[in-house]
Amino acid sequence: MPSARICPLAEVAHRLPAGSPPTARPDAMALHITGDARLPHLDLDHPMADLRAWVDAGLFDAGTAMDAHPHEREHTPSAGVHIAVVLVDGDLRIDGTLTAQTERNGDGAHGSPARPAQLVVSASLHARNAVLAGTHLHIVGGLHVTDLLWCHGSEGTLSVQAGLQARVAVFTGGHAVQIAPAETVDYLIDEVRGGPHLAAFSCEAVGAVFPPALLNGLSDGENGVAALLDRRAVLAALHGGGSAARSSEDIDAALPMAHDLLEGTDISIGNIRAVLRSPVIAHKQFTATGWFGQTDFLLCRQHVDAAGDRRDDHIHITVWKAWDFYLSVDEAPVRTGLRARLGAAVRLRRVPRAPRLTLAFRPYAEGQPGPWQPLDASRHPEAWQACTHAWRGVLDYVRRGVGQHRARYPLWRQLQAGMTAASIEEFTSLPVFAERCSNWWDDAHNGWWEGDLWLGARQPCMHNGVPWGRALKFSWKNGEPAPGDDADNTHSVYQMDVDEAREGPAVVAFTYAQRQGEAREPIAPCAADHIARLLRFHRGLQARLRPLAPAPAQACAASAGASDARETPPA
């Protein structure tokens, strides 16, 4: 049976790993556990809180926990003791959740809250869940997390010397992560180490891993994964004995990925053609467009256009007012000499041809594009790095789009079922819309901000003799203005227009634009991240507005004395 004692930190300081962060309090203590221990849970913000109950339950050698400080026998274990380090000499198994909720909460001096304790384990650590912020976790052995591992914040570190195994791992907010020699994670969301992961180009992958109740539906997703997750809700779900992350089956169903579509992530002839032959380009079509963040792209399959011009396989990628990239595959003669051509003509054969890869780029300066240049990795390392990053974003988009196609577009079906003409009419008829959206063509009276989102509504009306149907619009700030941009052009938009068909039920047209100054286009069923974000916005706004919607009289009084000074996207 393991033993536990409370001792001055100085007594065990030599047992701490090299480079351990210093403690701010000279009276800091350590909780020293000797032997393999098994705990129902461990809260590093309050590691003493349950110690007496654990001793009484026989989890530790009775009577050892308080021997180092007789004075503490007269008080509860949590009173007057600042535990700076929990040191475990042996394996530690936590049946429930390991938590450290505080990211930056003082050093414990002058009555301010203490920082979470550090945890040092000399062997391996097994836990069902671990949600950590503002603490330092050093595992000499392996770290095994059955369900969720979430490490957040630049004030904390995770160091594992014998490998990580986890079903879901989330690293956010600049948390320092060092894992050796290898890791096995089924679903990785890693914003701190720069490698490929589930949410590499869109945070909406988080919505596949976590249920809607744990998401911040009013976050635009532009500030990273941590802003998208409701930390308190995650902890509440875990403390209730449940799981914060969805089951693996549900994750795979929510975000199917066509991992077999491509050979790696290289810019190659095979990968370009695989992208262009994928169902992201609709049946009987030759082109498709898409965008994410500040990047948009055009996919063009080989064809002869309406003007009779031949178009080779190519992909055009733009990083807004920073870079343009052109990736093309055409059929070039293998040998182009006169003798080869004459020999082929005599034998009535075509000159042998083979696919040729062409890469070009042009940078922008002060918002204006420069001349096109051949792209060479050794001669243009900055352009090459930007191109490969944008290219991998396109691949991510296409893999998810093909995954949706193979699964028969589950997200698109959810969108059509959840945002019907009737539901949009009922939602936009709430009193809050009647008071705040009285004139679609007046920026001061066509919508307002909720969190990161601007929303507006147009009721059926006549304007300048033209009939207009019902519309619902969501918008959010997407990046910063580039040279020559209008201030409000940095907003992206989703708009739902209700078409009251003359025959049959009303239908909803879902459109989007990367920038408000651009014409909106239909949202494609394969645009997985956009559909997931639109659904999250809608659910979040419904949850916010329905219980808070004031009665009409209250709304009039409130709107008369309040104004929103934030920049308002035009209709």
Side-chain angles (χ1 to χ4, degrees), residues 40 125 206 210 437 447 454:
L125 170 60
V206 177
F210 296 90
C437 300
W454 184 93

Side-chain angles (χ1 to χ4, degrees), residues 477 479-481 484-491 567:
K477 187 75 178 295
E480 298 298 326
D485 284 354
D486 293 334
D488 61 1
N489 204 38
T490 57
H491 294 83
E567 180 183 305

Side-chain angles (χ1 to χ4, degrees), residues 217-241:
L218 301 185
S219 169
D220 58 19
E222 299 300 317
N223 295 316
V225 167
L228 209 60
L229 278 172
D230 186 333
R231 183 179 178 80
R232 292 184 179 180
V234 170
L235 288 169
L238 297 180
H239 290 326

Side-chain angles (χ1 to χ4, degrees), residues 225-557:
V225 167
L228 209 60
L229 278 172
D230 186 333
R231 183 179 178 80
R232 292 184 179 180
V234 170
L235 288 169
L238 297 180
H239 290 326
S243 174
R246 288 174 163 175
S247 69
S248 298
E249 294 76 12
D250 288 344
I251 295 173
D252 293 336
L255 191 66
M257 297 277 284
H259 294 290
D260 60 341
L261 181 68
L262 307 163
E263 294 291 337
T265 60
D266 291 342
I267 302 175
S268 65
I269 292 173
N271 281 343
I272 290 175
R273 285 186 163 172
V275 167
L276 297 179
R277 300 301 180 267
S278 74
V280 169
I281 298 180
H283 181 57
K284 295 186 178 180
Q285 300 296 314
F286 298 100
T287 63
T289 59
W291 57 273
F292 52 92
Q294 299 296 298
T295 302
D296 65 273
F297 58 89
L298 166 70
L299 309 180
C300 181
R301 187 182 296 164
Q302 184 184 79
H303 70 286
V304 176
D305 63 19
D309 295 325
R310 177 184 173 84
R311 303 295 181 184
D312 291 320
D313 286 339
H314 70 271
I315 299 174
H316 188 280
I317 306 174
T318 294
V319 182
W320 180 247
K321 291 193 174 179
W323 304 96
D324 283 334
F325 301 106
Y326 181 80
L327 292 61
S328 172
V329 176
D330 63 351
E331 296 291 334
V334 175
R335 292 176 295 175
T336 57
L338 177 60
R339 181 175 298 179
R341 295 199 301 271
L342 289 174
V346 169
R347 293 190 297 270
L348 300 178
R349 295 178 181 175
R350 297 181 60 186
V351 176
R353 308 178 77 86
R356 176 180 60 185
L357 177 64
T358 299
L359 305 178
F361 79 102
R362 60 179 181 180
Y364 282 70
E366 298 299 321
Q368 297 299 318
W372 284 100
Q373 308 173 49
L375 178 58
D376 182 271
S378 59
R379 295 178 56 196
H380 311 104
E382 184 181 4
W384 180 258
Q385 182 178 10
C387 182
T388 54
H389 181 77
W391 161 251
R392 288 175 183 176
V394 173
L395 297 188
D396 189 73
Y397 181 103
V398 171
R399 283 195 188 99
R400 297 185 190 186
V402 175
Q404 289 292 312
H405 172 78
R406 291 175 177 176
R408 300 186 178 182
Y409 301 108
L411 282 173
W412 182 250
R413 295 199 305 270
Q414 289 180 42
L415 183 65
Q416 291 182 311
M419 298 191 72
T420 63
S423 68
I424 291 174
E425 178 179 0
E426 190 269 340
F427 182 55
T428 56
S429 297
L430 292 174
V432 65
F433 283 100
E435 293 301 326
R436 297 192 179 190
C437 300
S438 57
N439 188 343
W440 183 254
W441 291 269
D442 182 351
D443 290 350
H445 299 92
N446 64 359
W448 74 97
W449 287 93
E450 288 285 348
D452 294 339
L453 305 184
W454 184 93
L455 71 155
R458 182 184 66 218
Q459 307 297 342
C461 62
M462 293 288 293
H463 180 71
N464 293 336
V466 178
W468 293 83
R470 188 180 304 276
L472 176 62
K473 177 180 176 181
F474 303 151
S475 185
W476 70 98
K477 187 75 178 295
N478 183 5
E480 298 298 326
D485 284 354
D486 293 334
D488 61 1
N489 204 38
T490 57
H491 294 83
S492 296
V493 59
Y494 298 142
Q495 184 162 316
M496 286 60 67
D497 289 274
V498 178
D499 181 8
E500 297 284 353
R502 295 182 180 180
E503 296 182 3
V507 296
V508 180
F510 300 93
T511 58
Y512 65 174
Q514 188 179 27
R515 288 169 187 80
Q516 290 204 113
E518 301 171 346
R520 296 190 312 276
E521 297 183 354
I523 299 177
C526 65
D529 293 318
H530 288 291
I531 299 173
R533 179 180 293 150
L534 176 52
L535 285 167
R536 180 172 59 82
F537 285 173
H538 188 235
R539 291 164 181 159
L541 290 167
Q542 294 250 357
R544 169 72 68 89
L545 296 181
R546 288 188 180 280
L548 300 179
Q554 295 173 321
C556 288

